[in-house]
Amino acid sequence: ASSKEYLQFILEQLSDLEEINYRAMMGEYIIYYLSRIVGAYMMTGYFKIKQSAVSYIGTVTYELPYEGAKEMLLVEDVDSKEYLSGLFNAMYDELPVPKSQQKEIFE
C-alpha cells in the first residue's frame, strides 16, 4: 500500500495545477484532475493509456498495476513538478468526462 507521506509528496508535485483530488481505494490512491481520473499512485504512477500521454512521455513502459487490471502507463519520473504537471495537462482533453458532467453538457 502507498503511504500518506508519498501521497502528500505527489500532491505537492501537482500543487501548480487546479482541482487535484484523490480518493483512497484498496490501500492506493486514485488521482483526479478537474474531476477526471488520470490514474493511480501505488508508490509509482500508473496512468491511463492515452495517445497524448504516450506522445508526451516518448519512451513508455506499460505495466499491469495489479493482477487482472488493464495495462497502464508506468511513470516513475515524479521528481519534476513541471514534467508531472505537463503530463496531466497533455492528457486532460483525452480523459473521459465523468457521467455527472456528461449529463450537464447535454442538458
Side-chain angles (χ1 to χ4, degrees), residues 43-76:
M43 298 309 287
T44 55
Y46 292 100
F47 289 82
K48 292 179 170 244
I49 298 174
K50 301 294 177 190
Q51 186 56 48
S52 52
V54 171
S55 296
Y56 186 84
I57 295 169
T59 303
V60 297
T61 301
Y62 298 98
E63 195 169 288
L64 298 173
Y66 55 89
E67 191 170 324
K70 290 182 180 179
E71 217 173 39
M72 297 184 84
L73 295 174
L74 175 64
V75 177
E76 295 179 291

Side-chain angles (χ1 to χ4, degrees), residues 5 7 12-13 24 31 37 43 45 52 54 57 60 80 82-83 86 94 98 104:
E5 293 79 17
L7 172 65
E12 176 57 33
Q13 293 299 87
I31 303 292
I37 296 175
M43 298 309 287
S52 52
V54 171
I57 295 169
V60 297
S80 169
E82 294 79 22
Y83 176 82
E94 256 188 287
E104 292 171 12

